[in-house]
Amino acid sequence: MTRDLSEREKVWVALSDLFLDTDVTLHFDYIERVLLAAPMTLEDIDVILRDEVAPVCLPNLYSVAGEWTGFSEDWLIARIETYLAKPVWLRRLGRKKREWQLCQMVPEWPCLRARIAAKRAG
């Protein structure tokens, strides 16, 4: 039996699809649906992507045999919660490098973000 996910966890799961070793544009509709329904701003989602999901999921894009079908929700949530339990100063180490990695390794995010912004604007 799967558990009910909190709104933040749903965002984690949706954003994690950007880090799969496959054509992530195939996941755009799902990610967009989840993020449009999320009760947070796009700026909040940017922070969640950079500071919560990316530290856990970016290594997948460097793996020779990376995950391509989707991360296990339980695994993903547990890993992000473990990461967030670290001291803030430790989590902030490497933030600039992670921002650069996101730009290089997840170039689809700006396009998807623009689609969501346009739909939210109405």
Side-chain angles (χ1 to χ4, degrees), residues 17 52-53 55 104 110 119 121:
D17 281 358
E52 297 174 18
V53 179
Q104 301 301 310
K119 288 189 177 177

Side-chain angles (χ1 to χ4, degrees), residues 31-108:
I31 299 168
E32 183 179 295
R33 243 185 349 269
V34 171
L35 299 183
L36 282 170
M40 43 198 75
T41 67
L42 277 174
E43 291 75 21
D44 292 337
I45 293 170
D46 287 333
V47 171
I48 292 168
L49 175 65
R50 183 192 68 222
D51 295 340
E52 297 174 18
V53 179
V56 170
C57 295
L58 259 171
N60 188 63
L61 298 177
Y62 289 100
S63 174
V64 174
E67 180 61 50
W68 55 275
T69 59
F71 297 98
S72 158
E73 288 179 3
D74 292 335
W75 175 87
L76 179 71
I77 291 165
R79 291 290 300 252
I80 292 174
E81 288 174 342
T82 298
Y83 176 77
L84 293 175
K86 294 179 180 182
V88 173
W89 68 267
L90 189 56
R91 293 192 324 250
R92 287 190 178 150
L93 290 175
R95 180 183 268 174
K96 287 292 182 194
K97 179 181 177 185
R98 194 164 47 250
E99 288 173 359
W100 179 85
Q101 288 172 314
L102 271 171
C103 290
Q104 301 301 310
M105 305 294 285
V106 189
E108 300 86 0

